Coordinates of all heavy atoms in Angstrom, one line a residue:
M1 N -6.6 13.5 -24.5 CA -6.9 12.1 -24.3 C -7.4 12.0 -22.9 O -6.9 12.5 -21.9 CB -5.7 11.3 -24.5 CG -5.9 9.8 -24.1 SD -4.5 8.8 -24.0 CE -3.6 9.1 -25.5
R2 N -8.6 11.3 -22.8 CA -9.1 11.1 -21.4 C -8.6 9.7 -21.0 O -8.5 8.8 -21.8 CB -10.6 11.0 -21.5 CG -11.3 12.3 -21.8 CD -12.8 12.3 -21.8 NE -13.3 11.1 -22.5 CZ -14.2 10.2 -21.9 NH1 -14.6 10.4 -20.7 NH2 -14.6 9.2 -22.6
L3 N -8.2 9.6 -19.7 CA -7.6 8.4 -19.1 C -8.6 7.8 -18.1 O -9.4 8.4 -17.5 CB -6.3 8.8 -18.4 CG -5.2 9.4 -19.3 CD1 -4.1 9.8 -18.4 CD2 -4.8 8.5 -20.3
M4 N -8.4 6.4 -18.0 CA -9.3 5.7 -17.1 C -8.3 4.7 -16.4 O -7.5 4.0 -17.1 CB -10.3 4.9 -17.9 CG -11.2 4.0 -17.1 SD -12.5 3.2 -18.1 CE -11.5 2.1 -19.1
V5 N -8.5 4.5 -15.1 CA -7.8 3.5 -14.4 C -8.7 2.3 -14.1 O -9.8 2.5 -13.6 CB -7.3 4.1 -13.0 CG1 -6.6 3.0 -12.2 CG2 -6.4 5.3 -13.2
D6 N -8.3 1.2 -14.6 CA -9.1 -0.1 -14.5 C -8.4 -1.0 -13.5 O -7.3 -1.4 -13.8 CB -9.1 -0.7 -15.9 CG -10.0 -2.0 -16.0 OD1 -10.7 -2.2 -15.0 OD2 -9.9 -2.7 -17.0
A7 N -9.0 -1.2 -12.4 CA -8.3 -2.0 -11.3 C -9.1 -3.3 -11.0 O -10.3 -3.2 -10.8 CB -8.1 -1.1 -10.1
W8 N -8.3 -4.4 -10.9 CA -8.8 -5.7 -10.5 C -8.0 -6.1 -9.4 O -6.9 -6.8 -9.6 CB -8.8 -6.7 -11.7 CG -9.7 -6.3 -12.8 CD1 -9.5 -5.3 -13.8 CD2 -11.0 -6.8 -13.0 NE1 -10.5 -5.2 -14.6 CE2 -11.5 -6.1 -14.2 CE3 -11.8 -7.7 -12.4 CZ2 -12.8 -6.4 -14.7 CZ3 -13.0 -8.0 -12.9 CH2 -13.5 -7.3 -14.0
L9 N -8.3 -5.8 -8.2 CA -7.5 -6.1 -7.0 C -7.8 -7.4 -6.3 O -6.9 -7.9 -5.6 CB -7.6 -4.9 -6.0 CG -7.2 -3.6 -6.6 CD1 -7.4 -2.5 -5.5 CD2 -5.8 -3.5 -7.1
E10 N -9.0 -7.9 -6.4 CA -9.3 -9.1 -5.7 C -9.1 -10.4 -6.6 O -10.1 -11.1 -6.9 CB -10.8 -9.1 -5.2 CG -10.9 -8.0 -4.1 CD -12.3 -8.0 -3.5 OE1 -13.1 -8.9 -3.8 OE2 -12.6 -7.0 -2.8
R11 N -7.9 -10.5 -7.0 CA -7.5 -11.7 -7.9 C -6.2 -12.2 -7.3 O -5.5 -11.5 -6.6 CB -7.2 -11.3 -9.3 CG -8.1 -10.3 -10.0 CD -7.7 -9.8 -11.3 NE -6.6 -10.5 -12.0 CZ -6.5 -10.6 -13.3 NH1 -7.4 -10.1 -14.1 NH2 -5.5 -11.3 -13.8
R12 N -5.8 -13.4 -7.7 CA -4.5 -14.0 -7.3 C -3.4 -13.0 -7.7 O -2.5 -12.8 -7.0 CB -4.3 -15.3 -7.9 CG -3.0 -15.9 -7.7 CD -2.8 -17.3 -8.2 NE -3.3 -18.1 -7.1 CZ -3.7 -19.4 -7.3 NH1 -3.7 -19.9 -8.5 NH2 -4.1 -20.1 -6.3
E13 N -3.4 -12.5 -9.0 CA -2.5 -11.5 -9.5 C -3.2 -10.2 -9.7 O -3.8 -10.0 -10.7 CB -1.9 -12.0 -10.8 CG -0.9 -13.1 -10.7 CD 0.4 -12.7 -10.1 OE1 0.9 -11.7 -10.6 OE2 0.9 -13.4 -9.2
P14 N -3.2 -9.3 -8.7 CA -3.9 -8.0 -8.9 C -3.4 -7.3 -10.1 O -2.3 -7.4 -10.5 CB -3.6 -7.2 -7.6 CG -3.0 -8.2 -6.7 CD -2.5 -9.4 -7.4
L15 N -4.3 -6.5 -10.7 CA -4.0 -5.9 -12.0 C -4.5 -4.5 -12.0 O -5.7 -4.2 -11.7 CB -4.6 -6.7 -13.1 CG -4.5 -6.2 -14.5 CD1 -3.0 -6.2 -15.0 CD2 -5.3 -7.1 -15.5
V16 N -3.7 -3.5 -12.4 CA -4.1 -2.1 -12.6 C -3.7 -1.7 -14.0 O -2.5 -1.9 -14.3 CB -3.5 -1.2 -11.5 CG1 -3.9 0.3 -11.8 CG2 -3.9 -1.6 -10.1
T17 N -4.7 -1.3 -14.8 CA -4.4 -0.9 -16.1 C -4.8 0.5 -16.4 O -5.9 0.9 -16.0 CB -5.2 -1.9 -17.1 OG1 -4.9 -3.2 -16.8 CG2 -4.8 -1.6 -18.6
L18 N -4.0 1.3 -17.0 CA -4.3 2.6 -17.4 C -4.8 2.5 -18.9 O -4.1 1.9 -19.7 CB -3.0 3.5 -17.4 CG -3.2 4.9 -17.8 CD1 -4.2 5.7 -17.0 CD2 -1.8 5.6 -17.9
R19 N -6.0 3.0 -19.1 CA -6.6 2.9 -20.5 C -6.9 4.3 -21.0 O -7.2 5.2 -20.3 CB -7.8 2.1 -20.4 CG -7.6 0.6 -20.0 CD -8.9 -0.2 -20.1 NE -8.6 -1.5 -19.7 CZ -8.1 -2.5 -20.4 NH1 -7.8 -2.2 -21.7 NH2 -7.9 -3.7 -20.0
D20 N -7.0 4.3 -22.4 CA -7.5 5.5 -23.1 C -9.1 5.3 -22.9 O -9.6 4.3 -23.3 CB -7.2 5.4 -24.5 CG -7.8 6.5 -25.4 OD1 -9.0 6.8 -25.2 OD2 -7.1 7.0 -26.3
A21 N -9.7 6.3 -22.2 CA -11.1 6.2 -21.9 C -12.0 6.1 -23.1 O -13.1 5.5 -23.1 CB -11.5 7.3 -21.0
D22 N -11.6 6.6 -24.3 CA -12.4 6.7 -25.5 C -12.3 5.3 -26.2 O -13.3 4.8 -26.7 CB -12.0 7.8 -26.4 CG -12.3 9.2 -25.7 OD1 -13.3 9.3 -25.0 OD2 -11.4 10.1 -25.8
S23 N -11.1 4.8 -26.4 CA -10.9 3.6 -27.2 C -10.8 2.3 -26.4 O -11.0 1.2 -26.9 CB -9.6 3.7 -28.0 OG -8.5 3.6 -27.2
G24 N -10.5 2.5 -25.1 CA -10.4 1.3 -24.2 C -9.0 0.7 -24.3 O -8.7 -0.3 -23.6
R25 N -8.1 1.2 -25.2 CA -6.8 0.7 -25.4 C -5.9 0.8 -24.1 O -5.9 1.8 -23.5 CB -6.1 1.5 -26.5 CG -4.8 0.9 -26.9 CD -4.2 1.6 -28.2 NE -4.2 3.1 -28.0 CZ -3.0 3.7 -27.8 NH1 -1.9 3.1 -27.8 NH2 -3.0 5.0 -27.7
A26 N -5.2 -0.3 -23.8 CA -4.4 -0.3 -22.6 C -3.1 0.5 -22.9 O -2.5 0.3 -24.0 CB -4.0 -1.7 -22.2
L27 N -2.8 1.5 -22.0 CA -1.6 2.3 -22.2 C -0.5 1.9 -21.3 O 0.7 2.0 -21.6 CB -1.9 3.8 -21.9 CG -3.1 4.3 -22.8 CD1 -3.4 5.7 -22.3 CD2 -2.7 4.3 -24.3
A28 N -0.8 1.4 -20.1 CA 0.2 0.9 -19.1 C -0.5 -0.1 -18.2 O -1.7 -0.1 -18.0 CB 0.7 2.1 -18.3
R29 N 0.3 -1.0 -17.6 CA -0.2 -2.0 -16.8 C 0.8 -2.3 -15.6 O 2.0 -2.4 -15.8 CB -0.4 -3.3 -17.6 CG -1.0 -4.4 -16.9 CD -1.4 -5.5 -17.8 NE -2.5 -5.1 -18.7 CZ -2.5 -5.4 -20.0 NH1 -1.6 -6.0 -20.5 NH2 -3.5 -4.9 -20.7
W30 N 0.2 -2.5 -14.4 CA 1.0 -2.9 -13.3 C 0.3 -4.1 -12.7 O -1.0 -4.2 -12.7 CB 1.0 -1.8 -12.2 CG 1.6 -0.5 -12.6 CD1 2.9 -0.2 -12.4 CD2 1.0 0.6 -13.3 NE1 3.2 1.1 -12.9 CE2 2.0 1.6 -13.5 CE3 -0.2 0.8 -13.8 CZ2 1.8 2.8 -14.1 CZ3 -0.5 2.0 -14.4 CH2 0.5 3.0 -14.6
Q31 N 1.0 -5.2 -12.3 CA 0.3 -6.4 -11.9 C 1.1 -7.1 -10.8 O 2.3 -6.8 -10.6 CB 0.0 -7.3 -13.0 CG 1.2 -7.9 -13.7 CD 0.8 -8.7 -15.0 OE1 -0.1 -8.2 -15.7 NE2 1.3 -9.8 -15.1
G32 N 0.5 -8.0 -10.1 CA 1.1 -8.8 -9.1 C 1.7 -8.1 -7.9 O 1.1 -7.2 -7.4
A33 N 2.9 -8.4 -7.6 CA 3.6 -7.8 -6.5 C 3.8 -6.3 -6.6 O 3.9 -5.6 -5.7 CB 5.0 -8.5 -6.3
T34 N 3.9 -5.9 -7.9 CA 4.1 -4.4 -8.1 C 2.8 -3.7 -7.6 O 3.0 -2.6 -7.0 CB 4.3 -4.1 -9.6 OG1 5.4 -4.8 -10.1 CG2 4.4 -2.7 -9.9
V35 N 1.6 -4.2 -7.8 CA 0.4 -3.6 -7.3 C 0.5 -3.6 -5.8 O 0.1 -2.6 -5.2 CB -0.8 -4.3 -7.8 CG1 -2.1 -3.7 -7.2 CG2 -0.9 -4.2 -9.3
G36 N 0.9 -4.7 -5.2 CA 1.0 -4.7 -3.7 C 1.9 -3.6 -3.2 O 1.6 -2.9 -2.2
R37 N 3.1 -3.4 -3.9 CA 4.0 -2.4 -3.4 C 3.4 -1.0 -3.6 O 3.6 -0.1 -2.8 CB 5.3 -2.5 -4.2 CG 6.2 -3.6 -3.7 CD 7.6 -3.5 -4.3 NE 7.7 -3.4 -5.7 CZ 7.7 -4.4 -6.6 NH1 7.7 -5.7 -6.1 NH2 7.8 -4.3 -7.9
L38 N 2.7 -0.8 -4.7 CA 2.1 0.5 -5.0 C 1.1 0.8 -3.8 O 1.1 2.0 -3.4 CB 1.3 0.5 -6.3 CG 2.1 0.5 -7.6 CD1 1.2 0.2 -8.8 CD2 2.7 1.9 -7.8
L39 N 0.3 -0.2 -3.4 CA -0.6 0.1 -2.3 C 0.1 0.3 -1.0 O -0.2 1.2 -0.2 CB -1.6 -1.1 -2.2 CG -2.6 -1.2 -3.3 CD1 -3.2 -2.6 -3.3 CD2 -3.6 -0.1 -3.3
E40 N 1.1 -0.5 -0.7 CA 1.9 -0.4 0.6 C 2.6 1.0 0.6 O 2.7 1.6 1.7 CB 2.9 -1.5 0.7 CG 2.2 -2.8 1.0 CD 3.2 -4.0 0.9 OE1 4.4 -3.8 0.9 OE2 2.7 -5.2 0.9
E41 N 3.2 1.4 -0.5 CA 4.1 2.6 -0.5 C 3.2 3.9 -0.7 O 3.8 5.0 -0.6 CB 5.1 2.5 -1.5 CG 6.1 1.4 -1.3 CD 7.0 1.1 -2.5 OE1 6.9 1.9 -3.5 OE2 7.8 0.2 -2.4
G42 N 2.0 3.8 -0.9 CA 1.1 4.9 -1.1 C 1.1 5.5 -2.5 O 0.4 6.6 -2.7
G43 N 1.7 4.9 -3.5 CA 1.6 5.3 -4.8 C 0.2 5.1 -5.4 O -0.2 5.8 -6.3
L44 N -0.6 4.2 -4.7 CA -1.9 3.9 -5.1 C -2.7 3.7 -3.9 O -2.3 3.1 -3.0 CB -1.9 2.6 -6.0 CG -3.2 2.1 -6.6 CD1 -3.7 3.1 -7.6 CD2 -2.9 0.8 -7.2
A45 N -3.9 4.4 -3.8 CA -4.7 4.3 -2.6 C -6.1 3.7 -3.1 O -6.6 4.0 -4.1 CB -5.0 5.6 -2.0
L46 N -6.6 2.8 -2.2 CA -7.9 2.2 -2.6 C -9.0 3.2 -2.8 O -9.8 3.1 -3.7 CB -8.3 1.2 -1.5 CG -7.5 -0.1 -1.4 CD1 -8.0 -0.9 -0.2 CD2 -7.6 -0.9 -2.7
E47 N -8.9 4.3 -2.0 CA -9.9 5.4 -2.2 C -9.9 6.0 -3.6 O -10.9 6.4 -4.1 CB -9.6 6.5 -1.2 CG -9.7 6.1 0.3 CD -8.4 5.4 0.8 OE1 -7.3 5.8 0.3 OE2 -8.6 4.5 1.6
D48 N -8.7 6.0 -4.2 CA -8.6 6.5 -5.6 C -9.3 5.6 -6.6 O -9.7 6.0 -7.7 CB -7.1 6.6 -6.0 CG -6.4 7.6 -5.3 OD1 -7.0 8.6 -4.8 OD2 -5.2 7.5 -5.1
L49 N -9.6 4.3 -6.2 CA -10.1 3.4 -7.2 C -11.6 3.0 -6.9 O -12.2 2.4 -7.8 CB -9.3 2.1 -7.1 CG -7.8 2.2 -7.4 CD1 -7.1 0.9 -7.1 CD2 -7.6 2.7 -8.8
L50 N -12.1 3.5 -5.8 CA -13.5 3.1 -5.4 C -14.5 4.0 -6.1 O -15.7 3.5 -6.3 CB -13.7 3.2 -3.9 CG -12.9 2.1 -3.1 CD1 -13.0 2.3 -1.6 CD2 -13.3 0.7 -3.5
T51 N -14.2 5.2 -6.5 CA -15.2 6.1 -7.1 C -14.5 6.7 -8.3 O -13.3 6.8 -8.4 CB -15.6 7.2 -6.2 OG1 -14.4 8.0 -5.8 CG2 -16.2 6.7 -4.9
P52 N -15.3 7.0 -9.3 CA -14.7 7.6 -10.5 C -14.0 8.9 -10.1 O -14.5 9.7 -9.3 CB -16.0 8.0 -11.4 CG -17.0 7.0 -10.9 CD -16.8 6.8 -9.4
L53 N -12.8 9.1 -10.7 CA -12.0 10.3 -10.5 C -12.3 11.4 -11.5 O -12.6 11.1 -12.6 CB -10.5 9.9 -10.5 CG -10.0 8.9 -9.5 CD1 -8.6 8.6 -9.8 CD2 -10.1 9.4 -8.1
S54 N -12.1 12.6 -11.0 CA -12.2 13.7 -12.0 C -11.0 13.6 -12.9 O -10.0 12.9 -12.6 CB -12.1 15.0 -11.2 OG -10.8 15.2 -10.7
P55 N -11.0 14.2 -14.1 CA -9.9 14.2 -15.0 C -8.6 14.7 -14.3 O -7.5 14.1 -14.5 CB -10.3 15.1 -16.2 CG -11.8 15.0 -16.2 CD -12.2 14.9 -14.7
E56 N -8.7 15.7 -13.5 CA -7.5 16.2 -12.9 C -6.9 15.2 -11.8 O -5.7 15.0 -11.8 CB -7.8 17.5 -12.2 CG -6.6 18.2 -11.5 CD -5.4 18.4 -12.4 OE1 -5.6 18.7 -13.6 OE2 -4.3 18.3 -11.9
A57 N -7.8 14.6 -11.1 CA -7.4 13.6 -10.1 C -6.8 12.4 -10.8 O -5.8 11.8 -10.3 CB -8.6 13.2 -9.2
T58 N -7.3 12.0 -11.9 CA -6.7 10.9 -12.7 C -5.4 11.2 -13.2 O -4.4 10.4 -13.1 CB -7.6 10.5 -13.9 OG1 -8.9 10.1 -13.4 CG2 -7.1 9.4 -14.7
R59 N -5.2 12.5 -13.7 CA -3.9 12.9 -14.1 C -2.8 12.9 -13.0 O -1.7 12.5 -13.2 CB -3.9 14.3 -14.8 CG -4.5 14.3 -16.2 CD -4.3 15.6 -16.9 NE -5.2 16.6 -16.4 CZ -6.5 16.8 -16.8 NH1 -6.9 16.0 -17.7 NH2 -7.2 17.7 -16.3
R60 N -3.3 13.3 -11.8 CA -2.4 13.3 -10.7 C -2.0 11.9 -10.3 O -0.8 11.6 -10.0 CB -3.0 14.1 -9.5 CG -3.0 15.6 -9.6 CD -3.3 16.2 -8.2 NE -4.5 15.7 -7.6 CZ -5.7 16.2 -7.7 NH1 -5.9 17.2 -8.5 NH2 -6.7 15.6 -7.1
L61 N -2.9 11.0 -10.3 CA -2.6 9.6 -10.0 C -1.7 9.0 -11.0 O -0.7 8.4 -10.6 CB -4.0 8.8 -9.9 CG -3.8 7.3 -9.7 CD1 -3.2 7.0 -8.4 CD2 -5.2 6.6 -9.8
V62 N -1.9 9.2 -12.2 CA -1.1 8.7 -13.3 C 0.3 9.2 -13.2 O 1.3 8.5 -13.3 CB -1.7 8.9 -14.7 CG1 -0.7 8.6 -15.8 CG2 -3.0 8.1 -14.8
A63 N 0.4 10.5 -12.9 CA 1.8 11.2 -12.8 C 2.5 10.5 -11.6 O 3.7 10.3 -11.7 CB 1.6 12.7 -12.6
A64 N 1.8 10.3 -10.5 CA 2.5 9.8 -9.3 C 2.9 8.3 -9.6 O 4.0 7.9 -9.2 CB 1.5 9.8 -8.1
L65 N 2.1 7.6 -10.3 CA 2.5 6.2 -10.6 C 3.7 6.2 -11.6 O 4.6 5.4 -11.4 CB 1.3 5.5 -11.3 CG 0.1 5.2 -10.4 CD1 -1.0 4.6 -11.2 CD2 0.5 4.2 -9.3
A66 N 3.7 7.0 -12.6 CA 4.7 7.0 -13.6 C 6.1 7.5 -13.0 O 7.1 7.0 -13.4 CB 4.3 7.9 -14.8
V67 N 6.0 8.4 -12.0 CA 7.3 8.9 -11.5 C 7.9 8.0 -10.5 O 9.1 7.7 -10.5 CB 7.0 10.3 -10.7 CG1 8.2 10.7 -9.9 CG2 6.7 11.4 -11.8
V68 N 7.1 7.3 -9.7 CA 7.6 6.5 -8.6 C 7.8 5.0 -9.1 O 8.8 4.4 -8.6 CB 6.5 6.4 -7.5 CG1 7.0 5.5 -6.4 CG2 6.3 7.8 -6.9
H69 N 7.1 4.6 -10.1 CA 7.2 3.2 -10.5 C 7.4 3.0 -12.0 O 6.7 3.8 -12.7 CB 6.0 2.4 -10.0 CG 5.9 2.3 -8.5 ND1 6.6 1.5 -7.8 CD2 5.2 3.1 -7.7 CE1 6.3 1.7 -6.5 NE2 5.4 2.7 -6.4
P70 N 8.2 2.1 -12.4 CA 8.3 1.9 -13.9 C 6.9 1.5 -14.5 O 6.1 0.8 -13.8 CB 9.3 0.7 -14.0 CG 9.4 0.1 -12.7 CD 8.9 1.1 -11.7
V71 N 6.7 1.9 -15.7 CA 5.4 1.6 -16.4 C 5.6 0.3 -17.2 O 6.6 0.2 -18.0 CB 5.0 2.8 -17.3 CG1 3.8 2.4 -18.1 CG2 4.8 4.0 -16.4
A72 N 4.7 -0.6 -17.1 CA 4.7 -1.8 -17.9 C 3.7 -1.6 -19.0 O 2.5 -1.6 -18.8 CB 4.3 -3.0 -17.0
L73 N 4.2 -1.5 -20.2 CA 3.4 -1.4 -21.4 C 2.9 -2.7 -21.8 O 3.7 -3.7 -21.7 CB 4.1 -0.7 -22.5 CG 4.6 0.7 -22.2 CD1 5.5 1.3 -23.4 CD2 3.4 1.7 -22.0
P74 N 1.7 -2.9 -22.3 CA 1.2 -4.2 -22.7 C 2.2 -4.8 -23.7 O 2.6 -4.1 -24.7 CB -0.1 -3.9 -23.3 CG -0.6 -2.7 -22.6 CD 0.7 -1.9 -22.4
G75 N 2.6 -6.0 -23.5 CA 3.5 -6.7 -24.4 C 5.0 -6.4 -24.1 O 5.9 -6.9 -24.7
R76 N 5.3 -5.6 -23.0 CA 6.7 -5.3 -22.7 C 6.8 -5.4 -21.2 O 5.9 -5.0 -20.4 CB 7.0 -3.9 -23.1 CG 7.8 -3.7 -24.3 CD 8.1 -2.3 -24.6 NE 9.1 -1.8 -23.6 CZ 9.2 -0.5 -23.4 NH1 8.5 0.4 -24.1 NH2 10.1 0.0 -22.6
E77 N 7.9 -5.9 -20.7 CA 8.2 -5.9 -19.3 C 8.7 -4.5 -18.9 O 9.4 -3.9 -19.7 CB 9.2 -7.0 -19.0 CG 8.7 -8.4 -19.1 CD 7.5 -8.7 -18.2 OE1 7.6 -8.4 -17.0 OE2 6.5 -9.2 -18.7
P78 N 8.4 -4.1 -17.6 CA 9.0 -2.8 -17.2 C 10.5 -2.9 -17.0 O 11.0 -4.0 -16.8 CB 8.3 -2.6 -15.9 CG 7.9 -3.9 -15.4 CD 7.6 -4.7 -16.6
E79 N 11.1 -1.8 -17.1 CA 12.6 -1.7 -16.9 C 12.8 -1.9 -15.4 O 11.9 -1.6 -14.6 CB 13.2 -0.4 -17.3 CG 13.0 -0.2 -18.8 CD 13.5 1.2 -19.2 OE1 14.2 1.9 -18.4 OE2 13.3 1.6 -20.3
A80 N 13.9 -2.5 -15.0 CA 14.2 -2.7 -13.6 C 14.3 -1.4 -12.9 O 14.9 -0.5 -13.4 CB 15.5 -3.5 -13.4
A81 N 13.8 -1.3 -11.7 CA 13.8 -0.1 -10.9 C 15.1 0.0 -10.1 O 15.8 -1.0 -9.8 CB 12.6 -0.1 -9.9

């Protein structure tokens, strides 16, 4: 499966969605204050979102996000950290 990170940071409630690159289906979502914490703590860097990532770089980013922060699946709230 190819993964794509879809980020909308310049909104009242910033949103980062992990998608299946082939189908566009949302696999995980982080939003609002969680996105702010990801940026502040270094789990997410703007540089990672400004240019398309290689598949390996995308896998590393997803692994870092999943290990450090709970994953919010569409339609489900993340478990408390």
